[in-house]
Amino acid sequence: MTRFCEGDPVQVLALGKAGHVRIPHYVREHFGTVVGYCGTYLNPEDLAVGNTGGKAVDLYRVAFDQSALWPDEAHPAHDRLIIEIYDHWLAPATETEHAP
Amino acid sequence: MPHDAHHHEEHEALVIEDEAGNIEAQIIVNALQEVLIGKGLLTAHEVTAAIAKLESPGIHLGAKVVAKAWTDPAYKARLMEDGRAAVQELDIPVTEARIIVVENTPTRHNLITCTLCSCYPRSILGQPPSWYISKAYRARSVREPRSVLSEFGLNLPLEVRLDVHDSNADMRYLVLPEPPADLASYDLAALEAMISRDHLIGVARHVG
């Protein structure tokens, strides 16, 4: 059982981790919607320092409204950015926080 | 350097390696290669063979996948469901964990990028073009993708939704372009010849 399902509203956390982190700054703290589940993968934050014995983590594809990510650019309202986010970087959000 | 997790210069240092023409990285690679060959752990021939293997996949493999999907609906369904398995059906050895195929339609266009480095479906398409790994493309393909597309000669109508896929983690992506309107008038070889690398990344849209 995964923590999130397709269609769930989520927020990307700003964990402030150093090192080989695969969650770029431009999506941190933004609200998005889960659009797919990718399976479990070893955490790149562990792999980068040679720790291959860590627990595999759930990976999701999350969609964001481009107009919310880049408010200073002119993006049509339906344009999206879709990116992969590991479970520990996500928090559940309510529908009202995210209104795509 | 201050020990601040948010210090941006530290993030920058990690990605400089991917820039073409990075002299420092080249010096390190050359020195390492010289030591390994000197110690008899590696031969120059092995290095050349490894490079040849890296460069051997190419657009023709991606074109084969797309042409098959256009002409075989059952194959297309399998490709959309599990890209990796469907690509392997064509005897293309896939090294990526998963291949996600994103389909262009009259109302949707897809663009692939990797903002953090240069992730790319290499086992199908070979090495990415130098612009794909440039900092300019990586930054602008997410921030202002429609401007980037127009510089590639594609003026995407506003009513077509643009989905940009940042391959930041374990998935690798392949765009399935729309087939030409007169699909039935081409044989497989002709179709494959019409499909370019740019179609499969999404910086080009119209085939034929």
Side-chain angles (χ1 to χ4, degrees):
Chain A
M1 187 66 192
T2 58
R3 195 155 65 105
F4 301 106
C5 298
E6 208 171 310
D8 280 358
V10 288
Q11 184 178 22
V12 181
L13 299 171
L15 296 179
K17 285 189 164 185
H20 187 70
V21 168
R22 301 298 303 181
I23 310 303
H25 282 259
Y26 75 88
V27 292
R28 295 187 193 177
E29 297 184 347
H30 281 279
F31 293 98
T33 304
V34 173
V35 293
Y37 176 65
C38 308
T40 59
Y41 295 87
L42 292 175
N43 187 348
E45 296 150 26
D46 294 337
L47 289 178
V49 291
N51 176 10
T52 54
K55 177 164 102 36
V57 290
D58 287 319
L59 181 66
Y60 301 91
R61 293 176 68 222
V62 179
F64 299 87
D65 290 343
Q66 284 280 42
S67 55
L69 291 179
W70 316 104
D72 53 337
E73 301 281 342
H75 289 279
H78 57 185
D79 280 8
R80 303 186 300 177
L81 182 289
I82 302 175
I83 188 168
E84 300 153 36
I85 311 281
Y86 296 95
D87 185 84
H88 58 289
W89 283 85
L90 290 174
T94 64
E95 294 288 353
T96 47
E97 285 171 309
H98 173 63
Chain B
M1 289 286 273
H3 293 278
D4 176 356
H6 292 284
H7 202 265
H8 281 249
E9 275 76 13
E10 287 183 13
H11 291 279
E12 282 301 291
L14 293 171
V15 296
I16 285 171
E17 301 172 348
D18 295 316
E19 286 294 283
N22 178 11
I23 304 300
E24 239 176 76
Q26 195 56 52
I27 291 169
I28 294 168
V29 167
N30 290 348
L32 181 63
Q33 189 173 324
E34 200 177 312
V35 170
L36 291 174
I37 291 172
K39 286 192 176 294
L41 296 168
L42 203 64
T43 65
H45 177 71
E46 283 174 318
V47 174
T48 315
I51 292 170
K53 197 178 169 198
L54 272 174
E55 290 179 344
S56 64
I59 170 63
H60 61 286
L61 297 179
K64 200 169 143 185
V65 172
V66 168
K68 172 91 171 151
W70 283 346
T71 53
D72 181 343
Y75 179 77
K76 182 187 163 189
R78 295 198 297 279
L79 183 70
M80 301 307 295
E81 177 66 30
D82 183 346
R84 184 173 194 262
V87 171
Q88 283 176 324
E89 273 182 45
L90 304 184
D91 292 328
I92 299 168
V94 181
T95 52
E96 290 84 3
R98 264 188 76 182
I99 300 289
I100 292 184
V101 177
V102 287
E103 185 182 13
N104 287 349
T105 69
T107 57
R108 183 196 190 199
H109 185 76
N110 294 282
L111 177 67
I112 312 303
T113 187
C114 173
T115 59
L116 294 179
C117 47
S118 55
C119 296
Y120 189 73
R122 288 166 200 253
S123 65
I124 306 170
L125 299 184
Q127 300 307 299
S130 59
W131 54 259
Y132 184 87
I133 66 174
S134 71
K135 283 188 176 174
Y137 179 77
R138 285 158 43 197
R140 296 184 58 221
S141 56
V142 288
R143 179 186 279 275
E144 43 170 348
R146 284 176 181 264
S147 303
V148 171
L149 290 182
S150 70
E151 288 167 29
F152 275 94
L154 170 56
N155 291 303
L156 194 68
L158 290 174
E159 58 272 21
V160 176
R161 182 172 81 192
L162 175 58
D163 281 346
V164 177
H165 304 268
D166 186 348
S167 38
N168 62 314
D170 291 284
M171 307 293 103
R172 297 294 176 267
Y173 299 87
L174 204 58
V175 175
L176 177 60
E178 282 186 90
D182 50 349
L183 176 68
S185 60
Y186 300 97
D187 64 15
L188 271 182
L191 286 175
E192 288 174 22
M194 293 160 78
I195 299 158
S196 75
R197 175 195 65 205
D198 290 0
H199 290 123
L200 305 182
I201 301 174
V203 293
R205 178 168 169 83
H206 305 286
V207 179

